[in-house]
Amino acid sequence: MNRIDRVTGFALGPYQSAVIRIGFSATWLLFLLREFPHRHELYGPDGPWSWDMAQQLIAGNGAFTALMWSDGRAWFEIVYAAAVVTAALLMLGWRTRTMSVLFMIGVLSLQNRSIFMGDGGDNVIHLMSIYLVLTRCGQVWSLDARRAARAREEGGAGRPDRVGPLLWWLAGLGLSAITFMGVVSGGWLVAFWGLWAVQGLWWAVNRRDPYGEPRVLFDVIANLAHNGALFVIMAEACLIYATAGWYKIQGNRWQDGTAVYYPLHLDYFSPWPALGDLLASHGLMIMLVSYGTVVVQVAFPFTLFNRRVKNVLLVAMMCEHAVIAVLLGLPFFSLAMIAADAVFLPTSFLKRLGGWVARARGGLFSRTARARAVPGPRAAESPEQAHVGFTP
Amino acid sequence: MDAYDKGSTARRSDPEPSTRRGPEPGAGTRRPPRVGLSALSLRYQIAGAFALVVVAAGACVHMAMVFLHVAPPNTASKEYGRTVDGWIYPEFEQNWKLFAPNPLQQNIAVQARAEVRTAGGGTHTTGWYDLSAQDGTAIDGNLLPSHTQQNELRRAWDFYLSAHDSENRPNGLRGQLSERYIRRIVVLRLSDEKDVAAHGERADGKGADGDRADGGAGGITRVQVRSRTTNVAPPPWSGEKVDPKPVYREVPWWTVTVADRALDSGTRARAAGEEAGAR
């Protein structure tokens, strides 16, 4: 099979796109739950970065946020709750495409409302929530995949889907409302209506003839968008490491091998001050970690051409982020970065991981475990899975 | 299988050589279903090829823009800087200079004090409160530090510094916003302090209700903010010496207005009204 048929015929990396879907939505969900007691101070209309201050700044840069549609306390609570619910549903893969759009709206709404509250982790989630919309990230490990598998078992003679059209009509109603209210700028409105129209067209074309040429063409376009977005996600992750690494090389603290010592002595990044003092007596180790960090970050993008070296570095980076989560007190940043790293994990490992999770789940809820472990249709017929980790 | 068969006849009449390399159906064996562009007739293939070009171009252009955005200023970004900014802002903005080129080597603490109205109609000036130290204490031993502890004040002060000159003169809207932001954070945090609350209550003389009419800020009339910058002592093995003496940067007193209250009564009334309406 030639390359063009591969990128047009398959949404490559079904397991990789599923794992980042789960990773980013879980990170955002946990963040929202953790900040629930502080939500008003962070994003509420009366927080220190008040609603009208945000409006003055947003009037200048045109960022998208639903929280600017009203300064009411009730509206804020609705948006925050919706962000929590859509993050959870995207994680589970329920109506994945629709949820990915709502997830993005939740992320952008809260983050753009108070841009001075975020850090690198918020930045990663912000970008990835936009890219995820264009991926087919629910092919495996999702409620959608389970529903599709059940429909296949029933031989396609099952009941017609009622929830999908209902969601579509509700989305159309919501879109009409914000269009008439005039609260959303042109570009976003076109994007939202476009996505909505495509969903509707897809349903109609599929209903007329699920094996017809228009339907196959739609599949081709969706695969292309998915593969393009997955490429962008991988390239973005590489750019993050490349930027972080190449700028570090220019710093004299990274050159003299003391850099790692300093963050551990900053009040804002040292939850365990005693640890900083302890490390102060291990100069050689600090140097090795400093040099190792730079080497790994600079080298990572190039190792994608060698599967084995890539996997070694991937493990190193995930471990480093896990350590950063605890030592520098940056759990959500680290989780977001680990989720981004996961896009490079090999399919064989992800399948095994899925197996373990399914078996662990099976122990808990034996009834539903089997369906979850069945891979999606594309995954089963794609011969490329083993390689998609590094050639989208 | 109809669609795939149709696709295969179309494929034979397809003039494009690249799609001809698909596996020929072997006699007697089940051939794999044709997928992707090969499964389509010429008319649809052209549409699919067009989509392929659009997606490929879009992905490459986007990554080029992001690259120019994160790269140091260079020949290309000088030439196309405005195009790049137009593409990147506001939603694709990013900064990955994490602890680079050098990690921060100073502890910058933001401290504040307040002037409170007293019962006798005079004023009482509180001592300095180290708000960053309070953040630091909240982060100590914390596996899940909140953004309100780790980012709020730290980034607000960064914002203030970037939007003011060394004489504390604001530049434009961002300068004014950053001042108000700091003021609101300070009022919010100092309102809970004992010294402030005690005097504030006495000033209102009405207990909780009076406090509320004041916006919950405990009678703060003015606040002053300063930063205290201390060098992190270099590691013992480096032999370097830095000045351990802290450097202060003091901002002139700011008058606290109704707009600086954490909860101004207008917003509260509006919110209450809407909540009642929603019910």
Side-chain angles (χ1 to χ4, degrees):
Chain A
M1 192 183 318
N2 69 44
R3 276 163 194 275
I4 296 206
D5 281 347
R6 256 183 64 192
V7 296
T8 54
F10 298 106
L12 300 171
Y15 290 91
Q16 285 80 2
S17 46
V19 81
I20 58 171
R21 179 199 85 223
I22 295 168
F24 292 125
S25 54
T27 305
W28 182 241
L29 175 65
L30 292 173
F31 170 76
L32 292 179
L33 294 179
R34 193 272 167 262
E35 298 291 8
F36 189 77
H38 302 132
R39 65 190 188 285
H40 294 291
E41 190 174 338
L42 287 171
Y43 309 114
D46 299 320
W49 185 252
S50 70
W51 189 85
D52 62 300
M53 290 160 80
Q55 193 170 46
Q56 287 179 57
L57 198 69
I58 286 167
N61 67 17
F64 173 84
T65 163
L67 284 174
M68 284 296 115
W69 301 349
S70 157
D71 64 352
R73 181 75 70 87
W75 176 242
F76 166 72
E77 299 288 7
I78 290 170
V79 171
Y80 198 93
V84 171
V85 171
T86 52
L89 289 177
L90 181 66
M91 186 178 77
L92 296 175
W94 185 76
R95 308 287 162 177
T96 314
R97 185 76 76 168
T98 307
M99 285 311 130
S100 71
V101 177
L102 295 176
F103 175 72
M104 175 190 75
I105 291 176
V107 169
L108 299 192
S109 293
L110 291 168
Q111 290 190 359
N112 287 341
R113 164 68 181 75
S114 305
I115 55 165
F116 299 107
M117 291 293 183
D119 54 29
D122 296 81
N123 204 336
V124 173
I125 294 189
H126 187 115
L127 297 169
M128 296 304 179
S129 74
I130 302 174
Y131 299 149
L132 268 182
V133 168
L134 295 172
T135 64
R136 308 182 90 171
C137 53
Q139 299 175 90
V140 294
W141 296 344
S142 68
L143 294 178
D144 285 351
R146 185 171 77 168
R147 197 176 56 246
R150 282 185 182 165
R152 265 197 313 281
E153 274 172 27
E154 289 165 21
R159 284 162 293 138
D161 179 25
R162 284 179 205 286
V163 181
L166 179 71
L167 262 182
W168 186 76
W169 282 111
L170 284 176
L173 215 65
L175 269 178
S176 307
I178 58 172
T179 305
F180 284 117
M181 280 160 65
V183 283
V184 182
S185 70
W188 279 108
L189 213 52
V190 170
F192 288 141
W193 276 117
L195 286 166
W196 183 80
V198 168
Q199 289 263 25
L201 262 176
W202 187 287
W203 181 83
V205 165
N206 191 50
R207 200 170 134 98
R208 222 180 59 183
D209 180 2
Y211 300 102
E213 279 207 299
R215 173 66 175 73
V216 177
L217 177 66
F218 266 54
D219 224 30
V220 163
I221 294 171
N223 289 335
L224 279 170
H226 167 96
N227 294 329
L230 200 60
F231 163 75
V232 167
I233 288 171
M234 290 176 166
E236 181 76 63
C238 287
L239 260 187
I240 292 175
Y241 285 118
T243 313
W246 287 97
Y247 277 106
K248 282 193 180 83
I249 284 185
Q250 302 166 33
N252 60 319
R253 288 300 174 211
W254 293 97
Q255 291 168 7
D256 68 19
T258 57
V260 169
Y261 166 88
Y262 287 97
L264 293 169
H265 288 81
L266 295 177
D267 295 339
Y268 274 104
F269 298 101
S270 55
W272 325 98
L275 197 91
D277 299 338
L278 185 79
L279 284 175
S281 52
H282 293 80
L284 212 58
M285 207 179 85
I286 294 276
M287 191 202 113
L288 286 176
V289 175
S290 301
Y291 270 44
T293 302
V294 176
V295 169
V296 167
Q297 289 188 338
V298 170
F300 181 73
F302 302 102
T303 66
L304 297 186
F305 297 102
N306 182 303
R307 189 181 159 82
R308 197 167 299 169
V309 183
K310 175 212 55 168
N311 288 340
V312 171
L313 252 67
L314 207 52
V315 171
M317 291 196 311
M318 285 186 161
C319 290
E320 179 158 15
H321 280 126
V323 172
I324 285 174
V326 179
L327 294 198
L328 296 186
L330 295 166
F332 298 108
F333 163 77
S334 301
L335 256 181
M337 288 309 299
I338 289 173
D341 293 339
V343 78
F344 297 106
L345 284 172
T347 302
S348 53
F349 170 77
L350 287 171
K351 277 179 153 170
R352 226 175 312 149
L353 184 74
W356 292 333
V357 173
R359 232 165 301 145
R361 252 175 50 100
L364 293 171
F365 322 95
S366 50
R367 204 170 57 84
T368 50
R370 205 183 54 85
R372 210 35 181 336
V374 173
R378 307 257 158 232
E381 63 191 35
S382 163
E384 278 76 32
Q385 291 164 6
H387 308 292
V388 292
F390 48 103
T391 50
Chain B
M1 274 313 200
D2 283 351
Y4 293 123
D5 292 337
K6 251 186 270 165
S8 84
T9 38
R11 196 180 57 83
R12 258 173 248 128
S13 63
D14 173 27
E16 200 185 326
S18 69
T19 54
R20 280 199 194 148
R21 276 185 276 129
E24 288 303 316
T29 58
R30 253 179 84 89
R31 83 195 141 85
R34 216 161 289 292
V35 292
L37 276 192
S38 302
L40 295 167
S41 63
L42 181 61
R43 222 152 44 105
Y44 284 95
Q45 251 176 8
I46 291 170
F50 179 71
L52 173 67
V53 171
V54 168
V55 168
C60 291
V61 168
H62 179 70
M63 285 328 293
M65 293 287 182
V66 174
F67 175 81
L68 288 177
H69 172 62
V70 297
N74 56 54
T75 318
S77 64
K78 241 171 257 163
E79 179 95 21
Y80 305 109
R82 296 185 68 182
T83 317
V84 172
D85 284 354
W87 185 284
I88 293 294
Y89 291 100
E91 305 299 353
F92 295 109
E93 188 184 356
Q94 47 201 292
N95 176 11
W96 309 117
K97 294 181 199 171
L98 310 164
F99 300 112
N102 276 319
L104 188 64
Q105 293 153 59
Q106 298 168 322
N107 273 306
I108 303 169
V110 180
Q111 306 179 335
R113 60 177 173 173
E115 194 182 87
V116 191
R117 252 193 337 268
T118 61
T123 55
H124 166 77
T125 306
T126 68
W128 287 100
Y129 290 97
D130 193 332
L131 304 180
S132 296
Q134 293 174 1
D135 284 341
T137 312
I139 290 168
D140 276 352
N142 195 339
L143 279 173
L144 299 170
S146 163
H147 275 19
T148 56
Q149 296 152 354
Q150 204 165 32
N151 296 348
E152 186 179 278
L153 188 60
R154 183 176 62 86
R155 290 209 56 201
W157 187 248
D158 282 347
F159 178 36
Y160 176 86
L161 292 182
S162 73
H164 285 76
D165 63 12
S166 53
E167 310 286 312
N168 293 313
R169 280 184 299 239
N171 44 35
L173 174 69
R174 289 172 73 87
Q176 290 163 14
L177 285 175
S178 68
E179 273 182 29
R180 226 181 115 194
Y181 188 31
I182 294 269
R183 238 180 358 249
R184 287 175 61 91
I185 293 173
V186 167
V187 169
L188 174 72
R189 301 218 180 165
L190 287 189
S191 302
D192 297 334
E193 295 296 339
K194 263 192 204 131
D195 195 21
V196 177
H199 284 88
E201 252 172 74
R202 254 183 283 147
D204 297 322
K206 295 172 203 148
D209 285 337
D211 212 24
R212 198 157 174 212
D214 213 8
I220 297 174
T221 53
R222 298 201 302 164
V223 291
Q224 191 182 24
V225 176
R226 69 177 182 187
S227 71
R228 177 183 188 271
T229 305
T230 326
N231 288 314
V232 171
W237 66 85
S238 77
E240 277 179 61
K241 292 270 178 295
V242 294
D243 193 352
K245 242 178 67 188
V247 176
Y248 288 92
R249 170 171 172 159
E250 211 166 83
V251 178
W253 281 94
W254 282 326
T255 303
V256 173
T257 65
V258 178
D260 301 326
R261 310 289 189 207
L263 302 169
D264 61 81
S265 44
T267 311
R268 191 201 297 264
R270 260 203 316 278
E274 280 191 21
E275 261 165 22
R279 248 178 262 136

